[in-house]
Amino acid sequence: MAIICKSSAEIEKMRRSGRIVRQVLDAVKLLVAPGVTTMDLERAAEKKIRELGAKSAFKGYYDYPCVLCTSVNDEIVHGIPSEKRTLKSGDIVSIDCGVVLDGYYGDSAITVPVGEIGRASCRERV
């Protein structure tokens, strides 16, 4: 398989897509708190992606229904946001987001503590 070198213009498009993902994750991270549902995070992310002029890379991909993947505590990746999944203090939530802008993809994930967590919280989950 050959390595395809990108032009400066293509690299800039990739950079812009990545920046949008960063902005979405930064906005969603601020909302993580006890009592918030993973669907609350989903709605905020979808709104932000739209405001920034991008398209979700996840929603509709193999019929995936959301713009985020949200996995709480020991859940394996690609958890689907839900109104029923309410975050509690001590939880740890992984938030994965991908966007497409001008045909170029950006994708990244962050892990965010919910409320106060400590070493004891981490050990209890293992």
Side-chain angles (χ1 to χ4, degrees):
M1 176 181 267
I3 295 174
I4 300 171
C5 295
K6 303 287 188 224
S7 69
S8 294
E10 290 171 316
I11 291 170
E12 182 53 36
K13 287 180 182 182
M14 292 168 67
R15 186 175 287 123
R16 287 196 337 249
S17 182
R19 281 188 190 125
I20 288 175
V21 171
R22 176 83 268 148
Q23 289 176 279
V24 172
L25 290 174
D26 284 347
V28 171
K29 178 181 178 178
L30 295 175
L31 302 175
V32 171
V36 171
T37 68
T38 55
M39 186 56 75
D40 293 332
L41 304 178
E42 166 71 13
R43 282 192 286 270
E46 189 163 25
K47 180 180 177 190
K48 188 72 171 176
I49 289 168
R50 194 172 34 254
E51 286 173 2
L52 295 170
K55 180 180 174 239
S56 171
F58 298 171
K59 192 170 187 174
Y61 183 73
Y62 286 100
D63 296 324
Y64 188 76
C66 298
V67 303
L68 294 179
C69 295
T70 54
S71 305
V72 181
N73 299 328
D74 57 354
E75 292 176 341
I76 303 203
V77 298
H78 302 138
I80 300 173
S82 169
E83 288 288 357
K84 296 177 183 178
R85 187 61 184 214
T86 302
L87 301 175
K88 301 181 302 282
S89 187
D91 284 344
I92 299 169
V93 61
S94 172
I95 305 167
D96 189 358
C97 179
V99 303
V100 182
L101 182 69
D102 296 329
Y104 288 83
Y105 287 73
D107 186 339
S108 190
I110 57 173
T111 301
V112 183
V114 181
E116 292 296 318
I117 66 166
R119 289 177 99 36
S121 296
C122 295
R123 270 186 252 134
E124 290 169 8
R125 299 198 191 292
V126 177

